[in-house]
Amino acid sequence: MTTASQTRHSALGSEIDEKILTTFFALYKNARIFEANNPTFINQCQHLYEMFAPTFDKGEDCEIKAYNNRHFVNEKFVHVDHVKNPGAIEIVEEWSQLDIGGVRFSAGISPQDIEKFFMFMAQVKPYSGTFESIGREFREKNKVSIVLLEKPDLDEDDAPESKEEQRKAFRQAARGMFFKSLTTVESIMSGAADDQEISLSKARRVVHSLIDHIMRDKSSLMELATIKDFDDYTYAHSTNVSVYSLTLGAQLGMDRPRLSRLGFSALFHDIGKVKLPKDLINKPDAYDENDWRQMQLHPHLGAKTILRNMKIDEFTARAARGAFEHHINSDFTGYPRLLYKEREPNLFSKII
């Protein structure tokens, strides 16, 4: 008979396992966004290590397995909410293509070893090697107390979920991530309207979430990007343009760093509109000549807003150019009109 104490212990164990997986997926994602010395990333690795510690103290390993859209911590099945953890699907799919079934962390590792593990895995791409070649490279660069596990052969009883069920999971994850992106964009642009400093880390997280999903299942995001019925068109439009730009960039064969810069530029291409009257942006009637004169100021206002409200780096410099050029055509028609026409808009501006 199960006692009340055992039931509470089981529930607590399940809660801890869920937290381990949530932290694991967050680290996997953040390793692709942050530098190795980022304080947030380092703290998350320390947190994951602390959650492993009770298992290590018992002389046991901690295994995280993910295959067939199912997730396990030390052989215990753990439910994962794909809306709250949209990156989980992409990780499982990437691992499946590489025949990776999980990873084993053994006693004796340090938080720094965990940092190195995630930074290594952040560079691994689907089809970039075989399980054997990636495992060999990993062993050469990392501590042997962390081991990649090969994906098991599935019995007939463990056959993968139907494509329709997978598709449903992808759509659910895409919807959650898409509307979370909208909320973040609205927050960032509302702050920019009041001349607040723009959070680059928030914007980059949005872009990397979009990239992750487009790489796995672009159609579900493209479906969402066709929705026009939003309370504020500017925020939805900015997110949609980022989705379309990233999809086109992926089709052109851009690598992840370049896609990241493209998506960031696309996300802020219309930020100048927050400096225009709201009744102009949301005007239901056709624009008159004065309306158009005001509207054609937004590329110039966008570039100024980016350069004034963001820390200047390669991302923001490209974003400022994208904001300024996105209505200029290759033959220099469009707006704003340029006095000097020595160099046509760059590729990002043309895509946007």
Side-chain angles (χ1 to χ4, degrees):
M1 177 179 287
T2 302
T3 66
S5 176
Q6 287 173 322
T7 301
R8 285 195 299 272
H9 180 77
S10 176
L12 181 61
S14 176
E15 183 180 333
I16 292 171
D17 292 339
E18 286 182 26
K19 288 181 179 178
I20 286 175
L21 280 182
T22 299
T23 305
F24 181 85
F25 291 135
L27 276 164
Y28 210 102
K29 189 174 180 179
N30 288 342
R32 293 174 167 174
I33 303 173
F34 298 139
E35 299 293 333
N37 61 354
N38 179 274
T40 299
F41 175 74
I42 292 172
N43 288 338
Q44 284 180 326
C45 288
Q46 176 68 36
H47 182 51
L48 184 63
Y49 174 80
E50 290 169 359
M51 285 190 282
F52 287 162
T55 304
F56 293 157
D57 290 343
K58 291 187 290 186
E60 299 174 1
D61 299 335
C62 188
E63 291 186 351
I64 293 175
K65 295 181 179 179
Y67 51 86
N68 191 21
N69 280 332
R70 287 181 283 182
H71 310 80
F72 304 84
V73 175
N74 290 335
E75 304 300 336
K76 288 185 292 184
F77 172 75
V78 181
H79 173 72
V80 172
D81 186 334
H82 288 135
V83 174
K84 294 180 180 178
N85 296 283
I89 293 178
E90 284 75 20
I91 292 170
V92 175
E93 180 62 23
E94 286 183 15
W95 281 11
S96 178
Q97 294 173 18
L98 295 165
D99 287 328
I100 297 173
V103 58
R104 179 189 301 126
F105 298 91
S106 299
I109 64 169
S110 67
Q112 290 71 36
D113 295 322
I114 294 176
E115 293 170 24
K116 291 177 183 177
F117 163 75
F118 283 107
M119 282 298 167
F120 175 86
M121 295 306 296
Q123 306 305 314
V124 174
K125 300 179 178 63
Y127 308 113
S128 63
T130 63
F131 175 79
E132 289 76 17
S133 64
I134 292 170
R136 184 166 55 251
E137 183 182 357
F138 178 78
R139 288 190 296 274
E140 290 171 357
K141 296 181 178 180
N142 294 272
K143 201 163 185 175
V144 293
S145 297
I146 302 178
V147 178
L148 291 175
L149 305 173
E150 191 169 8
K151 183 176 70 175
D153 293 328
L154 297 176
D155 297 329
E156 204 170 298
D157 291 340
D158 293 325
E161 297 172 285
S162 70
K163 289 185 178 181
E164 184 57 35
E165 288 174 324
Q166 284 190 342
R167 180 80 179 128
K168 184 178 179 181
F170 292 144
R171 281 179 171 172
Q172 185 183 29
R175 188 173 184 83
M177 186 269 293
F178 183 81
F179 285 101
K180 184 177 180 181
S181 298
L182 281 182
T183 301
T184 304
V185 171
E186 180 177 4
S187 172
I188 290 171
M189 290 199 177
S190 295
D194 297 328
D195 278 334
Q196 297 175 15
E197 185 176 349
I198 295 170
S199 171
L200 301 187
S201 59
K202 280 186 180 180
R204 286 173 182 166
R205 281 197 291 271
V206 167
V207 171
H208 281 270
S209 293
L210 294 175
I211 292 173
D212 286 343
H213 209 97
I214 285 168
M215 290 301 195
R216 176 60 194 93
D217 180 51
K218 63 177 177 288
S219 61
S220 58
L221 271 182
M222 294 288 279
E223 290 168 8
L224 289 165
T226 62
I227 301 174
K228 304 298 182 187
D229 187 19
F230 292 100
D231 291 337
D232 197 308
Y233 173 77
T234 301
Y235 308 138
H237 175 67
S238 297
T239 306
N240 291 346
V241 169
S242 192
V243 169
Y244 289 134
S245 298
L246 288 169
T247 302
L248 184 53
Q251 290 295 108
L252 291 171
M254 292 184 182
D255 59 16
R256 192 180 184 90
R258 203 171 185 199
L259 283 174
S260 182
R261 293 190 291 271
L262 170 61
F264 187 91
S265 297
L267 203 63
F268 290 107
H269 79 284
D270 261 353
I271 196 170
K273 288 183 179 178
V274 303
K275 297 298 184 181
L276 297 175
K278 269 204 168 185
D279 56 356
L280 172 67
I281 302 300
N282 299 321
K283 185 175 180 179
D285 304 321
Y287 283 178
D288 59 27
E289 187 176 343
N290 182 58
D291 292 336
W292 273 116
R293 273 200 296 269
Q294 288 190 77
M295 180 58 71
Q296 290 178 2
L297 293 173
H298 83 266
H300 181 249
L301 293 172
K304 284 181 66 176
T305 300
I306 290 169
L307 294 173
R308 183 173 58 236
N309 294 40
M310 294 187 187
K311 178 183 176 183
I312 303 301
D313 62 10
E314 185 179 359
F315 277 79
T316 52
R318 287 179 179 274
R321 185 171 181 182
F324 185 79
E325 294 181 341
H326 74 276
H327 280 294
I328 301 175
N329 301 315
S330 294
D331 61 359
F332 297 104
T333 57
Y335 61 89
R337 295 294 177 90
L338 302 180
L339 295 176
Y340 302 97
K341 302 175 181 179
E342 299 177 357
R343 187 169 62 179
E344 67 179 52
N346 74 352
L347 178 60
F348 283 8
S349 302
K350 290 179 180 180
I351 290 173
I352 295 166

